[in-house]
Amino acid sequence: RISPSNAWWEAWDNARRAERAGMADAAVLRGLQFDSQVLDAAAAMSGNGIAILSSNLFSAETADGRLQRIGNAMVWPGGKYRLVYPEVRRHSAKVRAFKAWLMEEVKALLSDEPDGLEGIELGSPL
């Protein structure tokens, strides 16, 4: 594993716990450790291990075969994300349009995942 202490690996292991029932714990905490997905990807492309990467950021590398995707599952670590902007821009047409677009993107991305929208708080309208 590349960057084995990355929270994404814990989320990956937790998401597959049922599949691994009765097997030894898969967590491996030794290996190359980087602070950037770009470095994780470079290490994986040079044959130094397996990395968990954002599929959106590395689609070109996957398309041309420099990175190989293992499986089709997506793992979403617990976390909260917020769209922030100055209060005075709350009613700005640009802010409203961006928020509407962003919410549709999030819904579309997560709608294909089992329980993808469960627990997702999309916030109140502007």
Side-chain angles (χ1 to χ4, degrees):
R1 291 183 180 189
I2 297 171
S3 297
S5 62
N6 184 325
W8 289 92
W9 279 115
E10 182 179 352
W12 175 270
D13 288 336
N14 289 340
R16 279 141 190 85
R17 195 164 307 283
E19 294 172 23
R20 296 189 335 266
M23 298 170 66
D25 190 0
V28 177
L29 296 178
R30 65 179 192 274
L32 298 170
Q33 183 69 43
F34 301 106
D35 293 329
S36 163
Q37 281 199 1
V38 171
L39 296 175
D40 289 352
M45 286 186 287
S46 66
N48 287 297
I50 297 172
I52 291 185
L53 304 168
S54 168
S55 58
N56 292 336
L57 294 176
F58 297 98
S59 58
E61 291 82 353
T62 302
D64 67 18
R66 289 183 286 157
L67 287 172
Q68 178 66 44
R69 188 171 182 170
I70 300 172
N72 293 318
M74 299 286 288
V75 175
W76 303 98
K80 295 187 180 203
Y81 302 90
R82 295 190 181 358
L83 172 62
V84 295
Y85 45 84
E87 179 68 26
V88 297
R89 304 248 187 220
R90 179 180 177 110
H91 298 291
S92 160
K94 289 179 183 178
V95 170
R96 293 172 68 92
F98 180 75
K99 182 177 180 183
W101 170 82
L102 182 61
M103 293 298 105
E104 290 305 313
E105 291 294 309
V106 168
K107 287 178 192 176
L109 183 65
L110 297 179
S111 65
D112 291 339
E113 296 298 317
D115 303 322
L117 294 172
E118 184 177 310
I120 300 295
E121 191 176 315
L122 296 178
S124 58
L126 288 172

